[in-house]
Amino acid sequence: MPDFIINTHDNVYIPAEDSYLLADNLEIEQGQSVLEIGTGSGIVAMYASKLTDSITVTDINFDACELARKNFEDNEIEGIEILFGNLFEPVENRKFDVILFNTPYLPTEEGEVLDDTINYAFDGGLNGRKVIDLFLDEVSNHLNDGGIVQMIQSSLSGNEETLQKFDEMGFIAEIKASEHFFFEDITLINAYKVI
């Protein structure tokens, strides 16, 4: 896998095991259009840029958008569209072949909420599904037929529930890869939108 220069920022999620679980398992073909929700440092998009030229990234954290821009520039990666905003808001009427999302999947109680925008990277609400369910509600509207969703979540935030939701939407979904940590499995779910 390529080595990239990765600048970091105190207010932006630093690439960790979950980032690389997604980056190492990308299913993207040349010419496909890719949307990454919550790009953070831009690391996953940088790996994706080795596979296709049509990439759009969004983030609800403006510092993340600026950091991703700097990382793309420092790695001489051109042509990635960076949009500021929540989930699919910045790409309202657009569709893509591949949608990537390292979700904020940590179950978070009121006292654990961080008082800064980096909180967006972690905070999954009480059951870890606050953002995941909003994402699932909209994802089909932005994915081309025959496209794929690749998303990271945790066993703490209900993998089976996610698989069931995809099933109800007519997708074929599976846990493609996982890594075990102290009290949870971080999982990569691939969901294919069958024609």
Side-chain angles (χ1 to χ4, degrees), residues 180-192:
H180 182 70
F181 295 96
F182 303 106
F183 50 86
E184 66 180 331
D185 290 328
I186 302 299
T187 54
L188 167 64
I189 294 176
N190 281 1
Y192 303 87

Side-chain angles (χ1 to χ4, degrees), residues 83-172:
L83 300 173
F84 171 61
N86 189 23
L87 292 172
F88 296 101
E89 283 171 8
V91 292
E92 200 170 347
N93 298 310
R94 293 168 60 188
K95 288 191 170 193
F96 300 85
D97 299 314
V98 181
I99 297 178
L100 310 171
F101 191 18
N102 183 0
T103 69
Y105 50 72
L106 286 182
T108 313
E109 297 194 13
E110 207 170 302
E112 299 171 317
V113 174
L114 302 174
D115 188 24
D116 218 329
T117 48
I118 194 168
N119 187 69
Y120 291 124
F122 302 98
D123 186 358
L126 285 174
N127 61 357
R129 298 195 59 86
K130 178 175 73 173
V131 179
I132 290 171
D133 286 335
L134 290 172
F135 171 77
L136 292 175
D137 286 346
E138 285 192 70
V139 71
S140 191
N141 300 329
H142 296 278
L143 189 68
N144 289 323
D145 289 343
I148 180 176
V149 178
Q150 295 192 277
M151 60 181 282
I152 298 286
Q153 69 169 78
S154 161
S155 55
L156 298 177
S157 50
N159 290 325
E160 289 305 317
E161 199 173 329
T162 298
L163 293 172
Q164 185 180 339
K165 279 204 167 204
F166 274 123
D167 187 53
E168 289 166 1
M169 294 190 295
F171 283 68
I172 294 173

Side-chain angles (χ1 to χ4, degrees), residues 1-7 15 20 23-24 26 41-51 55 71-77 80:
M1 286 307 236
D3 286 323
F4 294 111
I5 301 162
I6 305 291
N7 301 290
Y20 291 103
D24 289 341
L26 293 173
S41 67
I43 182 65
V44 173
M46 290 193 279
Y47 277 84
S49 74
K50 301 293 182 189
L51 305 171
I55 301 172
N71 280 327
F72 299 155
E73 285 173 3
D74 286 357
N75 289 282
E76 299 179 1
I77 297 169
I80 296 180

